[in-house]
């Protein structure tokens, strides 16, 4: 059987995300030896929906950024299917979408219709068709009426939805989300979660939202830059709670 295909989802081709001894070092601002902020981590992710859990500073965002080449490993490799994030960075960036916690980091043009049109341009949609397609797409997200408003006048929830529409307009094969519900009220949180769970694409979500994590198929727990658990979301949440309790009793937050 194709290793990137799941038994119970034969129609969807999960390309598989492979971390092989991947580690990230950063420069020490005081001129000392490089500082290890992640890894080495080795994991092979072929599940449809994957949650990434762990305390603040445990390395989740760094690991997420490795998947689409926003950060490159200092050591080891990260592959998505046959593509290596170091050698095939451009192709990886085209096939792996990234949704940031802050939609304002993602939305770059003044109106929703322009922003989604830009994503369509990146996908190669001809100029003449872009505005109409962008408006159709915004309609699917309930944003048609807000299409020509300055984006700053949209609510935080609408902006997160717009950021999601923009990244999905590029038709990525994998979507990586970094805390996509953190800034949202309950209603918008539910809306974003429903839309993410409905995607056919492989989905990797860094989150502190344990109810959301419980709805995923698989989960990783990070601690001090390492993967300390991989398995079912329920077991991962238990492990994360244990780590947090231990850190609290040791006088650290988690
Ligand atoms: N460019 C950088 N230079 C120095 N240190 C960094 C850099 N990027 C991240 N770090 C440090 O690496 C560690 C891991 O950061 P990362 O953002 O991956 O953690 P996280 O688990 O996503 O945290 P949070 O839940 O708070 O977002 C943190 O201690 C962070 O301060």
């Amino acid at each position: 059987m194709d290793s990137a295909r799941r038994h119970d989802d034969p129609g969807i081709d999960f390309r598989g995300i492979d971390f092989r001894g991947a580690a990230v070092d950063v420069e020490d601002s005081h001129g000392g030896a490089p500082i290890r902020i992640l890894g080495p981590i080795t994991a092979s992710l072929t599940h449809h929906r994957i949650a990434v859990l762990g305390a603040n500073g445990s390395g989740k965002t760094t690991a997420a950024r490795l998947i689409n080449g926003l950060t490159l490993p200092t050591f080891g490799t990260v592959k998505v299917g046959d593509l290596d994030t170091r050698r095939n960075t451009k192709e990886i960036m085209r096939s792996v979408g990234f949704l940031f916690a802050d939609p304002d980091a993602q939305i770059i043009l003044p109106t929703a219709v322009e922003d989604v049109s830009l994503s369509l341009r990146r996908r190669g949609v001809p100029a003449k068709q872009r505005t109409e397609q962008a408006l159709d797409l915004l309609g699917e997200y309930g944003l048609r009426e807000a299409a020509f408003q300055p984006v700053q006048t949209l609510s935080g929830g609408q902006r997160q939805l717009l950021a999601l529409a923009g990244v999905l307009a590029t038709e990525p094969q994998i979507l990586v989300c970094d805390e996509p519900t953190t800034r949202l009220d309950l209603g918008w949180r539910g809306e974003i979660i429903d839309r993410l769970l409905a995607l056919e694409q492989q989905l990797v979500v860094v989150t502190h939202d344990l109810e959301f994590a419980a709805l995923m198929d698989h989960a990783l727990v990070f601690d001090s830059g390492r993967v300390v658990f991989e398995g079912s979301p329920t077991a991962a949440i238990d492990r994360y709670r244990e780590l947090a309790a231990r850190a609290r009793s040791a006088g650290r937050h988690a």
Side-chain angles (χ1 to χ4, degrees):
M1 195 192 82
D2 181 343
S3 63
R5 235 172 239 280
R6 267 160 49 101
H7 295 273
D8 54 344
D9 267 329
I12 301 172
D13 184 19
F14 293 111
R15 308 181 75 206
I17 301 162
D18 249 313
F19 295 95
R20 287 278 160 258
V24 177
D25 288 355
V26 293
E27 277 182 29
D28 176 20
S29 56
H30 304 296
I35 300 167
R36 172 68 43 97
I37 62 165
L38 183 79
I41 56 174
T42 294
S44 190
L45 307 175
T46 56
H47 290 75
H48 185 179
R49 306 178 187 96
I50 299 151
V52 179
L53 308 177
N56 288 133
S58 58
K60 305 178 300 296
T61 295
T62 308
R65 291 170 63 92
L66 282 175
I67 301 173
N68 85 331
L70 276 171
T71 296
L72 294 173
T74 315
F75 298 102
T77 57
V78 180
K79 288 175 91 176
V80 176
D82 295 332
L83 302 176
D84 181 306
T85 59
R86 181 179 296 288
R87 287 200 211 114
N88 314 103
T89 314
K90 268 193 189 157
E91 293 96 315
I92 290 272
M93 285 201 160
R94 266 201 298 272
S95 57
V96 182
F98 199 99
L99 184 70
F100 294 88
D102 178 4
D104 297 337
Q106 191 129 2
I107 301 167
I108 50 179
L109 289 177
T111 63
V113 67
E114 288 171 281
D115 206 71
V116 173
S117 296
L118 178 64
S119 298
L120 295 172
R121 181 176 149 194
R122 288 188 181 137
R123 206 181 83 205
V125 174
K128 277 189 191 163
Q129 298 166 21
R130 276 183 222 142
T131 302
E132 198 186 327
Q133 279 195 26
L135 290 172
D136 285 349
L137 218 140
L138 288 167
E140 286 170 30
Y141 286 80
L143 293 171
R144 174 66 186 79
E145 307 229 317
F148 295 97
Q149 272 174 236
V151 284
Q152 305 90 308
T153 65
L154 305 184
S155 73
Q158 285 176 312
R159 289 207 296 277
Q160 187 62 295
L161 201 52
L162 171 59
L164 179 62
V167 69
L168 291 176
T170 65
E171 297 191 337
Q173 297 191 27
I174 295 175
L175 181 64
V176 179
C177 305
D178 191 5
E179 300 187 32
T181 59
T182 299
R183 295 165 181 243
L184 304 178
D185 67 27
L186 272 183
W188 282 109
R189 170 185 169 275
E191 167 99 30
I192 293 289
I193 289 176
D194 286 350
R195 286 185 182 269
L196 291 176
L197 292 177
L199 294 176
E200 289 204 336
Q201 282 100 330
Q202 191 175 20
L203 178 68
V204 178
V205 180
V206 172
T207 188
H208 293 289
D209 182 336
L210 300 184
E211 279 179 34
F212 181 18
L215 301 173
M216 308 289 272
D217 303 317
H218 190 71
L220 305 179
V221 180
F222 279 75
D223 186 36
S224 304
R226 307 294 278 265
V227 176
V228 294
F229 180 86
E230 192 183 340
S232 75
T234 319
I237 289 166
D238 286 348
R239 184 64 199 273
Y240 175 44
R241 286 191 202 282
E242 261 171 48
L243 285 169
R246 214 177 297 159
R248 259 200 318 274
S249 63
R252 292 185 288 121
H253 286 289

